[in-house]
Amino acid sequence: LTDLATVRGGGRNDLNTAAAVLFKMNVSPVLVAGYSFGGDNHGDTNLAGETRETIASVTALGDLYTKLVKYGLQDQVTIAIQNVFGRTLSTKAHSNEPNGRNHNANHHCTVMIGANLKAGVIGGVKLQKNQFDYQATGFDSATGAANEAGDVPFEETLESVGKTFGRAVGVSAAVLDDQITKGKVITAALA
């Protein structure tokens, strides 16, 4: 309660303190928090805002982990961060303008951290057919390697992330298959 009393606002560190305390007190099994990694940055000069927000959010995630360790929860909490709507990765796809990025629905990024997850990178990116920007690839669920002929096509990657996260936190395969009808568990990501 002493730590909870230090919360004074809605900043990243205050959210981290509240989350860690609520987990420690067994008040909440799930919490949702916002960590910005740049937002809607169509006109972000030299991507300065995106850079600032990304550094601040990565620092905040380190702070959250430190707080979880303080309470002995580092092996009991699973964290997922997801950007389901990507941004252009090429300045050509932003009218050759390096200051900002446009929307790009052809890729997304997820970071999952937890006791039942392995460190590593799953999938990859490839140049789009129009040679204008990049998009996510399909991949092999057993190895995580980018592979257009793999058993997880790009179109099923979000569902596969959902099923993999579910398995990591203990949801049965039967429930996941009933609730998420596409995709498959990415066994390469599970410890």
Side-chain angles (χ1 to χ4, degrees), residues 1-18:
L1 290 176
T2 302
D3 288 345
L4 196 56
T6 67
V7 174
R8 297 282 180 243
R12 291 174 178 98
N13 290 339
D14 285 336
L15 290 172
N16 291 341
T17 298

Side-chain angles (χ1 to χ4, degrees), residues 163-185:
K163 284 186 173 185
T164 304
F165 186 78
R167 289 302 300 141
V169 298
V171 178
S172 75
V175 168
L176 290 170
D177 288 341
D178 180 61
Q179 297 297 311
I180 305 172
T181 59
K182 292 183 179 180
K184 62 187 338 174
V185 173

Side-chain angles (χ1 to χ4, degrees), residues 52-75:
R52 183 177 53 256
E53 288 297 310
T54 298
I55 291 169
S57 289
V58 169
T59 300
L61 288 167
D63 173 67
L64 174 60
Y65 185 77
T66 298
K67 287 176 167 109
L68 294 173
V69 169
K70 174 182 175 181
Y71 296 132
L73 299 172
Q74 68 273 13
D75 293 328

Side-chain angles (χ1 to χ4, degrees), residues 20 32 59 80 87-88 189:
V32 177
T59 300
R87 290 289 176 173
T88 53

Side-chain angles (χ1 to χ4, degrees), residues 60-107:
L61 288 167
D63 173 67
L64 174 60
Y65 185 77
T66 298
K67 287 176 167 109
L68 294 173
V69 169
K70 174 182 175 181
Y71 296 132
L73 299 172
Q74 68 273 13
D75 293 328
Q76 298 174 37
V77 174
T78 302
I79 298 168
I81 304 162
Q82 189 168 51
N83 171 0
V84 297
F85 197 75
R87 290 289 176 173
T88 53
L89 300 175
S90 167
T91 55
K92 285 194 301 186
H94 190 58
S95 304
N96 285 319
E97 172 60 53
N99 295 323
R101 300 194 292 157
N102 283 335
H103 299 274
N104 183 349
N106 292 316
H107 71 87

Side-chain angles (χ1 to χ4, degrees), residues 92 106 125-136 148 155:
K92 285 194 301 186
N106 292 316
V125 294
K126 67 177 184 175
L127 197 57
Q128 290 178 356
K129 289 178 185 173
N130 64 11
Q131 304 289 304
F132 200 61
D133 200 8
Y134 295 87
Q135 71 178 61
E148 288 303 306
E155 296 80 15

